[in-house]
Amino acid sequence: MDKKDNILDRVIIFAEYLGYSLRSFSLSIEASPGYLHRLQSSNSNIGGDFIERIIATYEQLNPLWLLTGKGDMLLETHGIRVNESEALYGKRDFLKEALLVYLDDEDIKNKIQDIVTAKQIEE
């Protein structure tokens, strides 16, 4: 079986292209942190609702490639190939991306969780 034979494999390839961990990519599509890891471990495929979120969130991603593996991974913009090092992609939220990478640090995540918990107790 080719590495790109199912949608989940192509999602993982795209996440790697972006430089995201599976955890960060899962969070970027509003899934639980372990969503893609669980699918990968159980040899399952990604749900339609999350496919829609991926396509809506990552406008540079070619939906045909994501769904079928045909064509290029990235869409072309105005006849120019999108280059990962030079492009700003539509609704790309750099602050959100930076936070997702930052939150991959377990100590930081725990500190933030403690702060949120303390705030909830105060209310």
Side-chain angles (χ1 to χ4, degrees):
M1 178 180 256
D2 186 327
K3 175 68 175 151
K4 298 188 312 182
D5 277 348
N6 70 47
I7 295 171
L8 179 61
D9 290 335
R10 289 187 290 277
V11 167
I12 292 169
I13 290 168
F14 182 64
E16 289 171 355
Y17 164 80
L18 293 174
Y20 287 175
S21 66
L22 292 183
R23 180 184 187 285
S24 292
F25 193 85
S26 293
L27 291 171
S28 79
I29 59 170
E30 300 175 5
S32 66
Y35 178 67
L36 293 175
H37 280 292
R38 280 192 306 278
L39 292 178
Q40 190 178 38
S41 296
S42 65
N43 211 15
S44 299
N45 215 340
I46 193 164
D49 52 338
F50 290 106
I51 292 170
E52 289 178 20
R53 290 181 194 176
I54 292 168
I55 292 169
T57 303
Y58 298 99
E59 294 177 353
Q60 75 272 30
L61 180 62
N62 181 350
L64 179 63
W65 177 83
L66 179 63
L67 298 175
T68 68
K70 295 179 181 172
D72 294 327
M73 178 174 68
L74 301 177
L75 293 173
E76 293 186 13
T77 306
H78 306 293
I80 300 171
R81 183 95 198 121
V82 175
N83 182 334
E84 70 176 301
S85 63
E86 300 172 5
L88 297 177
Y89 308 113
K91 294 183 179 180
R92 190 167 179 188
D93 184 347
F94 291 102
L95 177 59
K96 182 177 178 181
E97 290 175 23
L99 286 172
L100 289 172
V101 171
Y102 187 69
L103 289 175
D104 271 345
D105 183 315
E106 202 63 36
D107 292 334
I108 302 281
K109 185 178 83 173
N110 290 336
K111 287 178 186 176
I112 292 172
Q113 190 171 11
D114 291 343
I115 291 168
V116 170
T117 302
K119 289 289 184 187
Q120 289 173 339
I121 292 171
E122 287 177 14
E123 295 177 350

